[in-house]
Amino acid sequence: MKEKKLGFGLMRLPVTDPNDAGKIDIELTKKMVDTFLERGFTYFDTAWMYCNFQSENAVKEAIVNRHPRNNFTIATKLHSAFIETKEDRDKVFNKQLEKTGAGFFDYYLLHDIGVEHYKKFKELDCFNWIRDKKEKGLVKKIGFSFHDSADFLEKVLNEYPWFDFVQLQINYLDWDSHGIQSRKCYETATRHGLPIIAMEPVKGGTLANPPEEVKKIFERHSPGMSPSSWAIRFAASLDNVFMVLSGMSDMAQLLDNTGYMMNFKPLNEEEKKIVGEAVDKINSSIEIPCTGCSYCTDGCPMKIAIPKYFSLYNADKQEIKEKGWTPQAEYYDNLTKSFGKASDCIECGQCESACPQHLPIIKYLKNVAKYFGK
């Protein structure tokens, strides 16, 4: 049976403490997993550091211990930030097998390849290492996730043409972005004959809650269909995309996504034009194109909740002027009780070196500090 195109991204699971991603609501996660499988979906995507290093444990508790191994597929990843020696590669991999209890991985990725991480992966010979895991039967398919230019993707694929797939950031807002280069990267991978997994189809939630004008455009055409459905269907409609990942943090999101993806229908020409209208509207209002991946926060010495602050800033900027009071400033104030303020930034640059979107985070934090400090 052909695998359905929607994958369950396990990076933003439901939590019992909104300020601690590691406090996973495991009982709700079990219910979501069961519903996902019952509706015919099988692909689960995790990684070493997701949910404050607890996501792979949740895989074992919610999936592996409760369902036959041939009823689901598991993907996980090796990130260069957590290895310093060749021995570390196996330490992480073996611990991942232990944490998930999976026995083997259906998909295994070198995580977040870009110019800097690529150097470390080469230095530690991770490309041949991951190939060896496949030859030994510990991994069925090998690939890598990618955040860089199409030209650099070309270089990687020319040097290592034997990968089974590549995971790219693809959504309708980044499709023609000069920074993200979704379309160019898609075309590069396709030219190399490499199947694609689409990540960030809803751009970290941005496209789940677009400006009101965009919601109205979508609603006029397809009453009752969520903005997320347009975003995920856009990525899934691309011929060379075989899987679209969606991070789902509550049952409502899961029911919505699986509802329209059970009998997936690609966007037609009229719908593609509507998506184009949405892009124009959003680009005129959004100011900080953050995906909410949180790579920037792990090493922040001031414990600043960078993606949360950017999200609040964007949301407040998208509010209609006539509304008057908006809740974002209150949310910001509440968060500063647990995290550093935007104004606490010491400009060390750690966040910018970790950002896969290559955003000028320090500058944006200054904007946020000035905006919410009023």
Side-chain angles (χ1 to χ4, degrees):
M1 183 176 71
K2 187 176 180 181
E3 197 167 29
K4 292 185 184 293
K5 269 194 170 185
L6 178 69
F8 194 158
L10 305 176
M11 185 169 78
R12 300 182 178 97
L13 290 172
V15 294
T16 56
D17 180 349
N19 289 323
D20 187 347
K23 297 289 179 63
I24 297 170
D25 185 336
I26 198 67
E27 293 308 313
L28 177 53
T29 299
K30 288 178 181 178
K31 293 176 183 177
M32 292 171 67
V33 163
D34 293 350
T35 302
F36 189 74
L37 291 169
E38 287 165 5
R39 292 189 165 204
F41 300 89
T42 59
Y43 192 101
F44 296 91
D45 172 86
T46 185
W48 178 251
M49 77 288 273
Y50 285 179
C51 299
N52 200 16
F53 301 92
Q54 296 303 307
S55 178
E56 289 174 328
N57 301 72
V59 166
K60 183 175 185 179
E61 192 168 352
I63 306 169
V64 175
N65 287 349
R66 302 173 59 251
H67 295 278
R69 184 63 181 88
N70 61 352
N71 283 8
F72 56 85
T73 55
I74 296 293
T76 194
K77 314 171 186 77
L78 179 75
H79 196 290
S80 67
F82 302 98
I83 54 172
E84 297 299 333
T85 67
K86 289 184 178 180
E87 289 72 26
D88 287 343
R89 302 170 306 178
D90 281 328
K91 286 180 181 177
V92 171
F93 186 86
N94 292 336
K95 189 65 176 178
Q96 288 175 308
L97 285 174
E98 178 187 332
K99 288 172 72 177
T100 61
F104 64 91
F105 296 117
D106 302 275
Y107 297 83
Y108 198 85
L109 300 83
L110 297 182
H111 198 173
D112 189 15
I113 283 186
V115 173
E116 291 304 315
H117 294 165
Y118 180 71
K119 292 177 184 176
K120 193 168 187 180
F121 281 133
K122 283 196 79 168
E123 177 188 336
L124 297 179
D125 196 27
C126 292
F127 292 95
N128 289 314
W129 172 84
I130 193 175
R131 196 178 189 186
D132 181 63
K133 294 300 180 192
K134 180 182 177 181
E135 291 174 354
K136 290 178 178 176
L138 294 170
V139 176
K140 289 187 176 180
K141 293 184 183 294
I142 55 176
F144 60 93
S145 60
F146 185 82
H147 291 286
D148 213 304
S149 69
D151 287 343
F152 191 71
L153 179 59
E154 183 80 36
K155 170 183 169 64
V156 175
L157 295 180
N158 284 335
E159 292 188 19
Y160 301 100
W162 33 256
F163 277 101
D164 298 313
F165 67 95
V166 63
Q167 188 163 299
L168 300 175
Q169 179 167 320
I170 295 179
N171 59 69
Y172 65 71
L173 198 58
D174 291 331
W175 187 239
D176 289 312
S177 162
H178 294 297
I180 307 302
Q181 299 187 349
S182 282
R183 182 200 291 269
K184 290 182 179 179
C185 287
Y186 170 86
E187 292 171 347
T188 299
T190 300
R191 188 171 63 254
H192 280 261
L194 207 60
I196 295 167
I197 295 174
M199 59 180 165
E200 298 289 353
V202 191
K203 201 169 172 65
T206 296
L207 303 183
N209 188 31
E212 287 300 320
E213 293 176 274
V214 173
K215 292 179 183 177
K216 289 175 182 176
I217 292 172
F218 290 153
E219 185 67 17
R220 279 197 298 268
H221 181 273
S222 302
M225 294 298 291
S226 67
S228 296
S229 70
W230 286 83
I232 290 176
R233 287 179 61 227
F234 170 86
S237 296
L238 297 167
D239 291 337
N240 198 34
V241 168
F242 74 92
M243 186 62 60
V244 179
L245 302 179
S246 178
M248 295 174 274
S249 55
D250 59 46
M251 184 63 82
Q253 292 173 3
L254 187 136
L255 292 174
D256 179 44
N257 287 345
T258 55
Y260 57 79
M261 288 299 289
M262 276 194 294
N263 298 298
F264 166 66
K265 294 181 180 178
L267 296 178
N268 59 37
E269 290 305 312
E270 181 185 3
E271 289 171 323
K272 290 177 183 177
K273 290 179 181 178
I274 291 172
V275 167
E277 290 181 46
V279 171
D280 292 340
K281 293 289 185 185
I282 295 172
N283 280 338
S284 69
S285 62
I286 195 167
E287 296 202 18
I288 303 179
C290 171
T291 69
C293 71
S294 292
Y295 291 175
C296 58
T297 60
D298 289 340
C300 176
M302 306 309 291
K303 308 295 183 187
I304 300 171
I306 298 169
K308 288 181 169 64
Y309 294 167
F310 287 174
S311 177
L312 292 174
Y313 180 84
N314 283 332
D316 209 69
K317 285 287 192 174
Q318 289 177 339
E319 296 273 18
I320 57 174
K321 294 180 181 178
E322 294 79 11
K323 188 174 180 180
W325 179 87
T326 60
Q328 279 76 229
E330 186 174 343
Y331 280 117
Y332 175 83
D333 187 56
N334 289 337
L335 282 169
T336 61
K337 303 294 194 300
S338 301
F339 300 99
K341 299 178 181 179
S343 58
D344 290 338
C345 175
I346 59 173
E347 302 186 27
C348 67
Q350 183 280 145
C351 55
E352 294 189 353
S353 65
C355 178
Q357 314 305 321
H358 313 297
L359 299 179
I361 294 175
I362 294 171
K363 183 187 81 172
Y364 285 146
L365 281 173
K366 289 179 180 179
N367 294 344
V368 171
K370 182 178 180 180
Y371 187 81
F372 285 121
K374 289 184 293 186

